[in-house]
Amino acid sequence: CIYITLHYFFKIITIIQSHQKLGKEKSKMAKNISFPLVIILFSIVFFLINSSNAMPSFNVQRYGARGDGRTDSTKPFLTAWSLACRSRARAMVYIPRGTYLVRNLVFWGPCKSHITFKIDGTLVAPSNYWSIGNSGYWILFAKVNRISVSGGTIDARGAGYWSCRKNGGHCPQGARSMSFSWCNNVRLSGLTSLNSQNMHVTVHHSSNVRIQNIRIRAPSGSPNTDGIHVQSSSGVTISGGTIATGDDCIALSQGSRNIWIERVNCGPGHGISIGSLGDYVNEEGVQNVTVTSSVFTKTQNGVRIKTWARPSRGFVRNVVFRNLIMRNVDNPVIIDQNYCPNGRGCPRQSSGVKISGVTFANIKGTSTTPIAMKLDCSRSNHCTGIRLQDIRLTYMRRSSASYCRNVHGRRSGVKQSMDHTNNKLVAALLMFFSSFLLMGTSMAASNYNVVNFGAKPDGRTDLTKAFLSAWKAACRSAASVTVTVPRGSFLLKPVEFRGPCRSRITFLIDGTIVAPSDYRGLGNSGYWILFVEVNRISINGGTLDARGASFWACRKSGKSCPGGARSMTFNWANDVVVSGLTSINSQVTHLVINSCNNVVVRKVKLVAPDQSPNTDGLHVQASTGVTVTDSTFQTGDDCISIGPGTRNLYMSKLNCGPGHGISIGSLGRDANEAGVQNITLINSVFSGSDNGVRIKTWARQSTGFVRNILFQNLVMKNVQNPIIVDQNYCPNHQGCPKQGSGVKISQVVYRNIQGTSRTQQALTFDCSRSNPCQAIRLHDIKLTFNGRSATSTCKNIKGVKAGVVMPQGCL
């Protein structure tokens, strides 16, 4: 169509030009015709070009749906979904204005491309609650990757079902309004959910989920109408919105990891709960949770951790509740490890769920009960590492009381009277070998030893083909398998392990994998060991030696050198575990996580000389739900560098140094760049590093941002710049216009950071003059230089300080 239109367009232009030669009269006519004709033809061409690139849209009305609120539109919805799911191009299922009656809907994946489910109308359930009540769901997305649901209203009409429950009649189990199960890369925004039979939105066995600005409403007396329920999922961000229900506003159940909750208005309801946990003996734990900047109004609870009084191997750890406001809340802060409704099903013993590393900070407001803070922990598994900071809760305009049992931790700035009961020290820490035994037995599946595919552990023979043969065999296996690299030295050239594979693969390394001694054997590939589009992969143990010394020497000499190779890279991978790995002498970055979801890096050691160029330890970019714990970084560049598009990154118990510290950035290199948000670093030590915690952006225009960052419980040992924000990064003054950075930095908290600075200026905030740093908070900073207080400098920054801040600071 475009070709034909252009053909006739140029033909008509030729005719017009020939007319112009015939005389003044005809020339005037030609001019009168030519201009509108050109406009019309250009419009046609523009329309055709744009329509050829437009997203395919599948309007449910086209397949028989009627927006009259009476006609059953279930089949038209499923037909539209089926067609969109088969589309190779990004597609849209569109629900226009109107009211659509639908019964149980299951939208199955996987689909061939990204699908947008755009709702401009209202979806209603049948008035007879039995129609959807026994299915357990109303609207279900299952095994769908890359799905966006936006706008609209769903009304489950749950009143009749609640009445049946309250009257004690024979009732169905009830349906959840919208569920995501085994889904990845989910966006839910702008939805209004009304009157669910029980839970409104559930996220199960999913990763990289963002829920934004949704409204959930059910009467305060409606049973079990939780707003959002998350279970066995990782990398979930809930931001903005109002939730008013008859049960928990948000409930985090077993297996929830890397959860970020912010700017939620909760109430009425039961608050935001972790639990109930410990219902079963073998149960996944909950970890790496942050709840911040939210308001609770007339709720039964504020923030709660709830466990059954039963034996369990479960746990709750690394949780932060901060910057919360309570308005007439019954139990603003509560840990209840003796949950046993009606006294049924609970043996006479304490909870086995182990709670540790929980921080309650900057929580203020009013309680409707005298005891505003109740920490009732298990007598056999005491709560440990509990931290209370700046808690100011009142009852009837007076300071409220608190109750603690079997809890250990610290407090500062708490304005409640404390009643400690039965708070003795635990005699010895329990060791849990059973989990390791279970892990070992799970690895008894098929084993593909690289030696059986021709690999020789002599450190000289190129074994790339043997490794790829073992990988391909493992990747085809329908059962979980192990690729084993036994003891010895195995030479590998650049190798790409590509997925997706049929099942989980464990890469068990007992030996050492070495690169070619000639650095040019790796240098121009950009990678050494690369995993691409692999889901459910575990790398356990072993050593990687990239033999980078000769490459660094080439770089330092100023000769023409290759770009250098990253030692191990994961691109577009999900559900990754890297555990016990040692990487030495990488040419450039040791370990890269790029465009991945749900990644765990633990007990790794990444080592290179302190003068080796660009040997970053770990680089994370465009990834969600990454956890880094119990690891050591000794490099010539950043211990960890955090690039654009990183969200929900949790780091704990790290040793950094020598190196350039832990850096967010550099950001803003490109004008249109994804932001960095929801980053937590706690309980870590920096030794002799150039920087401690750093945020670094180019002095260029950018749409990027950095927000919701927590640096807490850090020790600096002879660090050159313990705390630094540099928004005027411009090496050699090249490529940087004379203007401030466009990257917007906000909501960064520095709390309990202590130690020594190698320079007199320990705090440097050099923020953008066009986009000043906002909402920066310094709390309990104690940094010295040569035995005396250090100094600080601030430019273009707004924030507050609390507790002891040394140096005094310039906020």
Side-chain angles (χ1 to χ4, degrees):
C1 289
I2 294 170
Y3 171 78
I4 293 170
T5 304
L6 289 172
H7 171 75
Y8 282 105
F9 169 71
F10 288 113
K11 195 169 185 178
I12 291 170
I13 291 295
T14 304
I15 293 170
I16 291 171
Q17 289 175 343
S18 66
H19 274 292
Q20 289 176 339
K21 297 177 181 178
L22 298 178
K24 291 183 178 180
E25 294 298 323
K26 292 184 179 180
S27 176
K28 289 180 181 178
M29 181 182 71
K31 289 177 181 177
N32 290 336
I33 294 172
S34 64
F35 181 73
L37 199 57
V38 168
I39 295 298
I40 292 168
L41 288 171
F42 263 120
S43 299
I44 293 171
V45 172
F46 180 80
F47 170 78
L48 290 171
I49 291 172
N50 279 275
S51 63
S52 67
N53 292 325
M55 180 190 305
S57 179
F58 299 90
N59 188 320
V60 294
Q61 289 187 348
R62 190 186 309 162
Y63 309 101
R66 294 185 180 180
D68 57 11
R70 299 185 304 275
T71 305
D72 184 359
S73 298
T74 306
K75 287 185 179 179
F77 271 66
L78 292 174
T79 300
W81 173 265
S82 179
L83 292 170
C85 193
R86 291 200 295 266
S87 172
R88 293 187 178 276
R90 179 168 180 160
M92 175 189 291
V93 175
Y94 179 58
I95 298 94
R97 292 182 180 181
T99 301
Y100 300 86
L101 176 67
V102 291
R103 300 178 187 272
N104 301 111
L105 291 169
V106 183
F107 300 118
W108 280 104
C111 298
K112 291 187 176 180
S113 188
H114 190 291
I115 294 182
T116 297
F117 201 92
K118 182 170 175 53
I119 310 172
D120 282 338
T122 299
L123 279 58
V124 296
S127 55
N128 184 345
Y129 58 83
W130 280 96
S131 297
I132 65 172
N134 263 328
S135 62
Y137 62 86
W138 178 25
I139 302 167
L140 171 64
F141 295 89
K143 296 185 177 180
V144 181
N145 297 326
R146 296 176 295 171
I147 172 73
S148 298
V149 181
S150 63
T153 300
I154 58 175
D155 186 352
R157 296 178 173 178
Y161 174 74
W162 309 328
S163 179
C164 177
R165 288 278 304 273
K166 290 179 181 178
N167 294 332
H170 175 60
C171 312
Q173 62 176 329
R176 301 177 290 275
S177 284
M178 183 173 285
S179 300
F180 298 90
S181 295
W182 296 282
C183 296
N184 297 313
N185 304 314
V186 176
R187 304 294 179 268
L188 173 62
S189 63
L191 179 75
T192 297
S193 177
L194 306 174
N195 304 319
S196 179
Q197 288 190 357
N198 47 48
M199 300 174 187
H200 286 77
V201 176
T202 63
V203 179
H204 288 175
H205 299 93
S206 299
S207 64
N208 191 17
V209 178
R210 280 193 283 176
I211 301 175
Q212 298 172 305
N213 301 322
I214 69 170
R215 294 168 294 279
I216 296 175
R217 190 169 69 244
S220 60
S222 54
N224 300 111
T225 52
D226 298 63
I228 302 173
H229 181 86
V230 180
Q231 180 175 324
S232 298
S233 297
S234 175
V236 179
T237 299
I238 302 170
S239 62
T242 300
I243 304 175
T245 70
D247 210 300
D248 293 331
C249 294
I250 301 173
L252 306 179
S253 190
Q254 57 172 310
S256 299
R257 304 182 306 281
N258 294 72
I259 311 296
W260 187 279
I261 301 169
E262 63 171 348
R263 296 184 292 106
V264 172
N265 291 302
C266 171
H270 294 181
I272 295 180
S273 293
I274 295 176
S276 52
L277 303 179
D279 198 9
Y280 305 100
V281 173
N282 294 313
E283 189 178 82
E284 294 180 283
V286 173
Q287 59 185 326
N288 309 347
V289 175
T290 298
V291 179
T292 185
S293 305
S294 297
V295 178
F296 300 76
T297 305
K298 296 181 179 179
T299 52
Q300 280 192 12
N301 307 290
V303 287
R304 173 174 62 167
I305 301 175
K306 181 175 65 170
T307 76
W308 284 81
R310 294 175 176 171
S312 174
R313 294 193 178 96
F315 58 83
V316 177
R317 61 182 175 228
N318 300 333
V319 177
V320 176
F321 299 112
R322 62 184 171 95
N323 303 339
L324 308 178
I325 296 175
M326 306 290 168
R327 296 174 177 168
N328 295 326
V329 174
D330 291 353
N331 302 291
V333 175
I334 180 170
I335 295 177
D336 179 10
Q337 288 208 264
N338 293 292
Y339 177 65
C340 189
N342 303 318
R344 296 176 182 174
C346 307
R348 293 182 178 179
Q349 50 190 328
S350 56
S351 173
V353 177
K354 297 144 199 79
I355 298 175
S356 63
V358 181
T359 296
F360 301 91
N362 192 30
I363 301 177
K364 302 175 181 178
T366 55
S367 171
T368 61
T369 58
I371 298 178
M373 184 162 52
K374 182 180 179 181
L375 309 180
D376 187 11
C377 296
S378 167
R379 66 177 181 271
S380 58
N381 293 285
H382 294 194
C383 298
T384 60
I386 307 301
R387 187 176 178 88
L388 306 175
Q389 296 176 325
D390 292 335
I391 312 295
R392 292 176 174 84
L393 297 168
T394 62
Y395 167 67
M396 297 184 69
R397 299 185 179 180
R398 300 189 303 270
S399 181
S400 59
S402 56
Y403 171 84
C404 298
R405 184 166 65 167
N406 307 318
V407 58
H408 306 270
R410 294 186 295 166
R411 60 174 178 151
S412 61
V414 180
K415 288 199 172 182
Q416 279 76 43
S417 58
M418 305 295 288
D419 173 21
H420 299 274
T421 307
N422 192 26
N423 194 13
K424 299 178 181 179
L425 291 175
V426 180
L429 295 175
L430 299 177
M431 303 299 291
F432 303 105
F433 294 107
S434 57
S435 59
F436 295 98
L437 292 174
L438 288 171
M439 186 184 298
T441 58
S442 67
M443 295 170 61
S446 300
N447 191 330
Y448 295 87
N449 192 316
V450 295
V451 172
N452 296 333
F453 292 84
K456 297 179 180 180
D458 57 10
R460 299 185 303 275
T461 307
D462 179 12
L463 306 176
T464 308
K465 289 184 178 180
F467 272 65
L468 284 173
S469 296
W471 172 262
K472 289 177 181 178
C475 194
R476 291 194 297 264
S477 173
S480 297
V481 295
T482 300
V483 175
T484 300
V485 181
R487 292 183 179 180
S489 182
F490 298 83
L491 176 66
L492 274 187
K493 292 185 177 181
V495 60
E496 180 178 321
F497 299 114
R498 181 169 286 274
C501 298
R502 297 182 66 187
S503 189
R504 174 175 287 281
I505 296 179
T506 298
F507 219 105
L508 181 60
I509 308 173
D510 287 330
T512 299
I513 300 175
V514 297
S517 55
D518 184 346
Y519 62 85
R520 289 168 294 190
L522 298 183
N524 272 322
S525 63
Y527 65 85
W528 179 21
I529 300 170
L530 173 64
F531 294 89
V532 181
E533 294 184 339
V534 180
N535 298 327
R536 296 177 295 170
I537 174 74
S538 297
I539 311 296
N540 292 344
T543 299
L544 307 179
D545 185 354
R547 296 176 172 178
S550 57
F551 173 76
W552 310 328
C554 177
R555 288 281 303 274
K556 290 180 180 180
S557 68
K559 297 178 182 178
S560 176
C561 310
R566 302 175 291 274
S567 285
M568 182 174 284
T569 302
F570 295 88
N571 286 342
W572 302 287
N574 298 314
D575 302 317
V576 176
V577 177
V578 180
S579 179
L581 178 73
T582 297
S583 175
I584 60 176
N585 301 325
S586 178
Q587 287 192 356
V588 286
T589 306
H590 287 77
L591 180 61
V592 176
I593 308 296
N594 179 48
S595 301
C596 298
N597 300 312
N598 191 20
V599 179
V600 175
V601 178
R602 62 190 178 208
K603 297 182 179 179
V604 302
K605 188 173 183 179
L606 310 180
V607 179
D610 60 355
Q611 297 302 312
S612 54
N614 300 112
T615 53
D616 297 68
L618 169 65
H619 180 74
V620 182
Q621 181 170 316
S623 297
T624 299
V626 178
T627 301
V628 187
T629 60
D630 300 291
S631 296
T632 298
F633 304 88
Q634 300 170 339
T635 70
D637 210 300
D638 293 333
C639 294
I640 299 177
S641 60
I642 301 163
T646 301
R647 301 185 307 276
N648 293 44
L649 168 62
Y650 183 91
M651 300 168 284
S652 176
K653 299 180 182 177
L654 307 181
N655 290 297
C656 170
H660 294 181
I662 294 180
S663 292
I664 296 175
S666 51
L667 304 179
R669 187 182 183 92
D670 301 314
N672 295 311
E673 188 177 83
V676 172
Q677 60 185 328
N678 309 348
I679 309 298
T680 299
L681 169 66
I682 63 172
N683 304 332
S684 297
V685 178
F686 296 78
S687 302
S689 53
D690 283 4
N691 305 292
V693 287
R694 174 171 62 167
I695 301 174
K696 182 174 65 170
T697 75
W698 285 80
R700 295 174 175 173
Q701 292 182 346
S702 175
T703 58
F705 59 83
V706 176
R707 61 180 176 232
N708 295 331
I709 312 297
L710 175 63
F711 298 119
Q712 178 172 291
N713 300 344
L714 307 179
V715 176
M716 304 290 170
K717 296 179 178 179
N718 196 31
V719 174
Q720 186 166 328
N721 301 294
I723 296 174
I724 180 171
V725 174
D726 178 10
Q727 289 208 264
N728 292 292
Y729 178 65
C730 188
N732 303 319
H733 302 287
Q734 296 179 356
C736 308
K738 294 180 179 179
Q739 53 189 336
S741 173
V743 177
K744 299 158 190 69
I745 298 175
S746 63
Q747 298 175 333
V748 183
V749 176
Y750 301 88
R751 176 179 283 117
N752 191 29
I753 300 177
Q754 305 180 18
T756 56
S757 173
R758 196 160 66 241
T759 58
Q760 188 169 359
Q761 187 168 295
L763 273 69
T764 302
F765 292 100
D766 187 10
C767 297
S768 168
R769 63 177 182 272
S770 56
N771 294 284
C773 299
Q774 304 281 343
I776 308 301
R777 183 179 179 88
L778 298 175
H779 194 153
D780 290 338
I781 310 297
K782 298 176 184 177
L783 295 168
T784 62
F785 168 68
N786 285 341
R788 58 183 185 276
S789 179
T791 61
S792 62
T793 183
C794 296
K795 293 180 183 178
N796 310 313
I797 180 174
K798 297 179 181 179
V800 296
K801 59 182 180 179
V804 177
V805 176
M806 193 174 79
Q808 283 294 316
C810 34
L811 290 179

